[in-house]
DNA sequence: TTTTTGATACCTATAAGTAGGTAGCTGGTA
DNA sequence: TACCAGCTACCTACTTATAGGTATCAAAAA
């Protein structure tokens, strides 16, 4: 018997799902919440096995944040995102938040039940449609990254940037690159100017964003 | 007519594919290379539309690096990774490098042709099997991230970390948080000690890894 | 009530980073 | 041959960050 909690600010959705699943002998709807805060309040005593939540909700806590909090406080609860959107960024953020499944609101009853059963068993459930959107979005994100600012750097500048991003100090970098610390400082200045960042922090952020280290 | 270049250090693979596609009237094999460097040498004069490459090759340049270089120097060429491995990390790195497709070596002829046609048309092609591995891997990676070092920080420390990662200086942070610069410095020291990083660079790297900014 | 933790604030001292400037040498290109 | 970019190196000057230490107060927990 799977204890299922539904979270969506549209009652018609939670009612619809409840109605859809009412004949299922293995799934028991133990509650319906209209918001993230309400869900967080009720989870400790309702003790669901699986939570299905929408992303967009009217209050401060959206479904992704809810997922993150529930994951942290109740790691045994499996969470499925139920969304209208197959937006790749949202899918990625849901996974990062700890969701075990992501299905769309046009999903049929059979797939819904499959998703619930899968995550209850500790597996993941992402529909083919969601998978395709995710991958297409990742490829597109990468294309939007095509204009790589690090292409503006010379070979030595790029080498030096990698060492900065690996937490070496100027004296350490000087030693590794067989140059003087004066030269390191000059390169740093040129790099920061070329990349139009405020400081080393901005540089490191950009470097990680563009995967200049193979990590 | 799609001009196709094959890159794999196992001749039996490139021969096999060539043989498989020889009856296809829309695809022309214009070359077979046994290594990344060989491919990079030949691409400028062979001018393929599509490159199919393995990942693991004996020399310094693997298929992912090859993809990255080809993408940069010849952005009109579409690249498909052909691999034995459905390893999520490799799939992600392939996408980051610029691959438009990823198929496994157990792929049938029809799917191979579909992949080639798709990427030639500027679309992506990732098999369902690859998609599922990618998503499962991403979820698993996220689970491995569960032990979030930032859980060790207090509320104020976390708030201050976010401001550091947003490139604010100590005086700026002091002003934003209504505290003295001395206190900022003390917090910084405590944070760096708690997280066991070398410096601000390490802190920013960890912060980005754990998505503490909503970017 | 006592202890602990978190937040705040300050001291001294030093290292590291930032920012402006200058200049010479080498190799590649026009 | 002349020019340019990249690399290297140094100067002055200042800001910022790091690192060690100390201490008080308030709130929460034991």
């Amino acid at each position: 018997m799977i204890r299922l909690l539904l979270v969506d600010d549209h009652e018609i959705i939670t009612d619809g799902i409840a109605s859809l699943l009412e004949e299922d002998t293995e799934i028991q709807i133990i509650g319906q919440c209209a918001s993230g805060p309400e869900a967080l309040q009720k989870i400790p005593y309702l003790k669901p096995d699986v939570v299905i939540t929408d992303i967009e909700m009217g209050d401060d806590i959206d479904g992704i944040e809810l997922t993150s909090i529930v994951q942290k406080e109740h790691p045994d609860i499996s969470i499925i995102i139920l969304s209208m959107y197959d937006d790749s960024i949202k899918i990625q953020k849901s996974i990062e938040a700890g969701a075990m499944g992501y299905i769309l609101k046009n999903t049929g009853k059979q797939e819904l039940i499959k998703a619930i059963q899968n995550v209850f068993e500790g597996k993941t459930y992402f529909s083919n449609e969601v998978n395709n959107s995710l991958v297409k979005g990742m490829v597109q994100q990468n294309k939007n990254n095509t204009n790589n600012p690090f292409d503006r750097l010379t070979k030595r500048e790029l080498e030096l940037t990698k060492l900065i991003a690996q937490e070496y100090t100027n004296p350490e970098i000087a030693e590794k690159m067989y140059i003087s610390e004066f030269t390191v400082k000059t390169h740093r200045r040129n790099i920061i100017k070329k990349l139009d960042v405020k400081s080393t922090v901005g540089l490191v952020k950009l470097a990680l964003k563009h995967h200049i280290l193979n990590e």
Side-chain angles (χ1 to χ4, degrees), chain A:
Chain A
M1 181 64 70
I2 306 176
R3 302 172 60 83
L4 177 66
L5 179 69
L6 305 174
V7 189
D8 199 302
D9 58 342
H10 294 114
E11 209 168 298
I12 201 167
I13 301 282
T14 52
D15 281 351
I17 293 174
S19 164
L20 216 51
L21 296 175
E22 77 189 344
E23 301 161 4
D24 194 285
T25 58
E26 300 197 358
I27 299 174
Q28 174 189 14
I29 312 281
I30 55 166
Q32 294 172 224
C33 304
S35 70
E38 186 186 346
L40 287 175
Q41 193 185 9
K42 291 187 172 176
I43 283 174
Y45 67 89
L46 286 179
K47 299 185 196 307
D49 298 309
V50 178
V51 172
I52 296 187
T53 180
D54 191 11
I55 295 183
E56 314 276 351
M57 292 190 277
D59 47 62
D60 280 359
I61 302 190
D62 69 12
I64 292 175
E65 287 173 75
L66 176 63
T67 299
S68 191
I69 297 169
V70 171
Q71 249 291 285
K72 188 173 300 178
E73 299 182 352
H74 311 279
D76 292 335
I77 299 180
S78 302
I79 299 163
I80 298 174
I81 301 284
L82 178 68
S83 180
M84 276 174 52
Y85 305 110
D86 61 359
D87 169 70
S88 178
I89 300 288
K90 283 186 161 71
I91 299 168
Q92 282 175 67
K93 282 183 184 294
S94 298
I95 292 174
E96 283 159 17
M100 297 293 290
Y102 194 113
I103 51 180
L104 301 180
K105 279 183 180 173
N106 63 6
T107 290
K109 176 176 166 179
Q110 296 311 322
E111 192 173 24
L112 177 62
I113 291 174
K114 184 129 187 277
I116 294 166
Q117 285 172 341
N118 264 29
V119 301
F120 180 66
E121 291 164 19
K123 299 177 198 163
T124 60
Y125 191 83
F126 293 79
S127 69
N128 285 341
E129 197 172 353
V130 168
N131 283 350
N132 286 330
S133 296
L134 172 64
V135 174
K136 276 195 195 118
M138 285 172 76
V139 170
Q140 191 58 44
Q141 271 172 66
N142 187 67
K143 281 211 180 291
N144 293 344
N145 263 2
T146 289
N147 193 20
N148 188 341
F150 288 95
D151 291 342
R152 281 179 237 153
L153 299 193
T154 66
K155 227 171 148 180
R156 288 292 263 182
E157 286 168 346
L158 186 59
E159 186 183 347
L160 196 140
T161 300
K162 285 178 183 176
L163 293 173
I164 291 172
Q166 290 170 290
E167 287 177 78
Y168 292 107
T169 59
N170 288 352
E172 285 166 345
I173 291 166
E175 192 179 332
K176 281 184 156 314
M177 289 179 77
Y178 305 101
I179 51 177
S180 82
E181 204 180 317
F182 291 113
T183 303
V184 174
K185 287 177 183 182
T186 300
H187 280 316
R188 261 186 188 261
R189 203 164 74 208
N190 293 335
I191 289 164
I192 281 170
K193 187 164 192 173
K194 279 186 181 181
L195 296 181
D196 192 35
V197 291
K198 282 194 203 162
S199 65
T200 295
V201 170
L203 176 59
V204 170
K205 284 171 75 176
L206 207 51
L208 292 195
K209 181 178 175 184
H210 289 273
H211 308 292
I212 74 157
L213 302 179
N214 282 328
E215 298 184 349

